[in-house]
Amino acid sequence: MPLSTFSIATSHCLIGGRWAPCQSGETLDLIDPSDGATLCAIARGGASDIDAAVTAASTALSGDWGRATAAERGRILARIGVLVRDHTDELARIEAQDVGKPLSQARADVLALARYMEFYGGAADKVHGETIPYLDGYTVYTLREPHGVTGHIVPWNYPMQIIGRSVGAALAMGNACVLKPAEEACLTALAFAEIAQQAGLPDGALNVVPGLGAEAGAALSAHPGVHHLSFTGSVGTGKLIQKAAAENVVPVTLELGGKSPQVVFADADIDDALPFLVNAGIQNAGQTCSASSRILVQESRFAEVRDRMAERYGSLRVGPALSDPDVGPLVSLRQKEIVQGFLARGADLDCVAEGRIDADAPQGGAYVAPRLLVGAGPDHPLAQDEIFGPVQVLIPFTDEADAVAIANGTDYGLVASCWTADGARQFRMAKALRAGQVFLNNYGAGGGVELPFGGRGLSGHGREKGFEALYGFSVLKTVAARHG
Ligand code: NAD
């Protein structure tokens, strides 16, 4: 078991404050994508475990957790943040091994998780209702109340960050959570739950049931005792979850990835832009919902940007996560197959540069060399579909109108950026780009736990991060008192 200073068994679920195997006793192997070796066994939770977890969450709401004041909830979250920071190195190693994420990127994710706890800990008692002027003889005010039991279905690409932004905000508002981490990477979810217990989170406020999507995930999304669902992952699974939520008429937040463009105008500072252009495509081996997989460059500087990006690609080292390469393996051999399928569909494109896989990288690892591709028209499948691998396509454009048409010309709309020295154009582009977040002369703003995040179109709906998440994880009640 790799969780050395954590006491939990990796093959357990946490339900109502108690760690135990799932009811069937069945387990799944968790694979290290850097070498294909089995890391440990995890629980194969099923419908009965989810049912027990929902009951435990519901019980917590009528106990200490339900009675905790906003300030008390905030203090617990802040304590979780301190403990997460105390365990930075260990959590980073676990996440790196589990996801295949380069160690320094995993470390950044731990710090992001700590920041979510700090932010939502501080924000818990700062979400206020309002008084509304109404008829003579009335006083009207609003209350923000928790939904109740919230279900969190989390993917494998950024487990810590996604747990931070969804579970952190849900707990801050007083919900009780049932978390279903991904079967490919769930160890930091378990470690986080243990830390939350150490920080004094009451039993049942956070329950964790690992397992397969079609089993534990489907059971959670269909459970009538769940009052809100939060999902990050693929479009196909997101649709299933929205249908399940519709059956129970509960709200759902969906974050389903994207095909996010960076638009580079001829007047842009290319030196400044270059690291962002490349890093936004290869970070976490391109397995990032907000990855920038399309780089749109104005014709007059297309060749220059292509050549400079190619130079950077040529120096990218791909290797085992714990050796802290530029690019680690993909999360699994299955994901590698998906990405190779896309590359086969892009066989008609020119690969102008590719990264280098370490000669001694283990044979069983899920390695894919990053590739920079040109020659794709805006409608090419590789310029339209989310690849979720270290692949970027470079597309030329003529003028501002052409740039907007290409940038907005996919079914997605998660993130977009614009690189230009023209201030008026920055404002025009910020309005014209169809995306939940627009960055001007930067990309990603360093993660930004404070910045509301979410999609348009196939990228999903609802907002996480920042205060918006606190509104999403609460229900507004209007109280109208007639007192004469
Ligand atoms: P997925 O959407 O199937 O899995 C994400 C989570 O959903 C996991 O916890 C999984 O167990 C759960 N899940 C799966 N089927 C479910 C169901 N029927 N009901 C409830 N929960 C279910 O994604 P994947 O199969 O792991 O990856 C496939 C593709 O999805 C990737 O290539 C990528 O394009 C996309 N993806 C996007 C993100 C993102 O951050 N937006 C994250 C992971 C994957």
Side-chain angles (χ1 to χ4, degrees):
M1 188 188 83
L3 303 185
S4 53
T5 71
F6 295 98
S7 58
I8 51 154
T10 56
S11 59
H12 285 183
C13 306
L14 173 65
I15 297 177
R18 195 172 147 263
W19 292 94
C22 61
Q23 292 183 22
S24 72
E26 286 184 53
T27 59
L28 302 163
D29 282 345
L30 200 65
I31 305 299
D32 180 345
S34 289
D35 58 13
T38 300
L39 273 174
C40 60
I42 59 166
R44 181 176 179 171
S48 54
D49 305 292
I50 291 291
D51 192 47
V54 172
T55 302
S58 192
T59 304
L61 289 169
S62 48
D64 288 351
W65 180 242
R67 284 189 293 274
T69 64
E72 284 164 349
R73 296 196 302 266
R75 274 196 291 276
I76 292 171
L77 288 174
R79 278 202 295 275
I80 297 176
V82 170
L83 290 176
V84 167
R85 276 189 195 279
D86 288 349
H87 289 287
T88 300
D89 290 341
E90 191 175 7
L91 288 168
R93 284 185 75 80
I94 293 169
E95 191 85 317
Q97 268 190 294
D98 203 358
V99 179
K101 188 175 289 232
L103 199 51
S104 53
Q105 290 177 30
R107 199 181 160 80
D109 287 3
V110 183
L111 299 178
L113 173 60
R115 269 296 294 143
Y116 279 115
M117 297 302 121
E118 292 162 2
F119 181 84
Y120 287 122
D125 59 356
K126 294 169 190 68
V127 178
H128 303 151
E130 51 187 11
T131 53
I132 302 173
Y134 193 53
L135 303 175
D136 183 34
Y138 281 78
T139 297
V140 179
Y141 59 95
T142 59
L143 297 171
R144 284 236 162 239
E145 298 182 338
H147 290 283
V149 178
T150 51
H152 304 257
I153 299 175
V154 166
W156 39 262
N157 53 342
Y158 287 85
M160 283 190 288
Q161 291 216 32
I162 295 169
I163 289 168
R165 77 188 191 206
S166 80
V167 171
L171 291 176
M173 294 312 292
N175 299 282
C177 307
V178 178
L179 167 61
K180 208 300 279 175
E183 50 272 46
E184 294 85 353
C186 79
L187 294 181
T188 50
L190 299 170
F192 174 78
E194 183 178 328
I195 284 174
Q197 281 188 305
Q198 288 168 5
L201 188 68
D203 291 348
L206 172 61
N207 307 275
V208 186
V209 181
L212 296 172
E215 296 174 0
L220 180 57
S221 57
H223 199 292
V226 173
H227 306 109
H228 179 284
L229 284 162
S230 159
F231 171 76
T232 302
S234 63
V235 175
T237 302
K239 287 180 183 174
L240 292 177
I241 287 170
Q242 181 151 349
K243 282 182 193 153
E247 282 300 318
N248 293 324
V249 196
V250 296
V252 55
T253 301
L254 298 179
E255 199 275 86
L256 308 178
K259 194 68 188 172
S260 299
Q262 298 197 63
V263 181
V264 185
F265 284 92
D267 64 353
D269 180 341
I270 303 296
D271 288 336
D272 187 31
L274 200 67
F276 292 88
L277 298 180
V278 176
N279 291 347
I282 55 126
Q283 181 180 311
N284 200 31
Q287 304 163 116
T288 304
C289 44
S290 54
S292 177
S293 48
R294 294 185 297 153
I295 307 294
L296 281 44
V297 187
Q298 200 156 16
E299 278 170 344
S300 61
R301 298 194 77 182
F302 185 82
E304 177 191 352
V305 172
R306 178 199 61 204
D307 293 348
R308 296 200 55 194
M309 285 184 70
E311 197 182 327
R312 172 80 184 117
Y313 262 73
S315 71
L316 291 175
R317 183 176 79 78
V318 185
L322 292 179
S323 71
D324 202 22
D326 299 304
V327 179
L330 300 187
V331 72
S332 62
L333 291 174
R334 175 177 159 254
Q335 190 64 22
K336 177 175 170 178
E337 248 175 62
I338 292 177
V339 172
Q340 283 175 329
F342 275 108
L343 290 171
R345 289 164 73 195
D348 54 326
L349 305 182
D350 290 330
C351 177
V352 290
E354 67 181 79
R356 174 180 48 83
I357 300 175
D358 281 354
D360 56 356
Q363 284 301 309
Y367 299 100
V368 170
R371 285 180 178 77
L372 182 63
L373 304 175
V374 299
D379 295 330
H380 192 283
L382 269 65
Q384 285 288 320
D385 299 336
E386 184 177 56
I387 299 173
F388 234 58
V391 182
Q392 287 179 297
V393 292
L394 272 170
I395 303 171
F397 68 85
T398 52
D399 57 15
E400 200 172 306
D402 191 32
V404 171
I406 299 172
N408 290 347
T410 75
D411 294 330
Y412 292 98
L414 191 59
V415 171
S417 92
C418 168
W419 295 87
T420 176
D422 180 336
R425 178 189 281 145
Q426 291 171 12
F427 284 104
R428 286 195 301 275
M429 289 297 289
K431 276 194 174 177
L433 289 167
R434 181 173 178 267
Q437 284 188 333
V438 173
F439 297 104
L440 300 173
N441 291 327
N442 74 100
Y443 193 90
V449 309
E450 306 85 349
L451 312 180
F453 176 72
R456 308 266 302 263
L458 283 191
S459 292
H461 51 72
R463 293 292 177 264
E464 292 190 324
K465 305 172 92 165
F467 265 71
E468 283 298 324
L470 298 172
Y471 306 138
F473 279 111
S474 58
V475 183
L476 193 76
K477 178 185 278 176
T478 304
V479 180
R482 176 168 162 264
H483 42 67

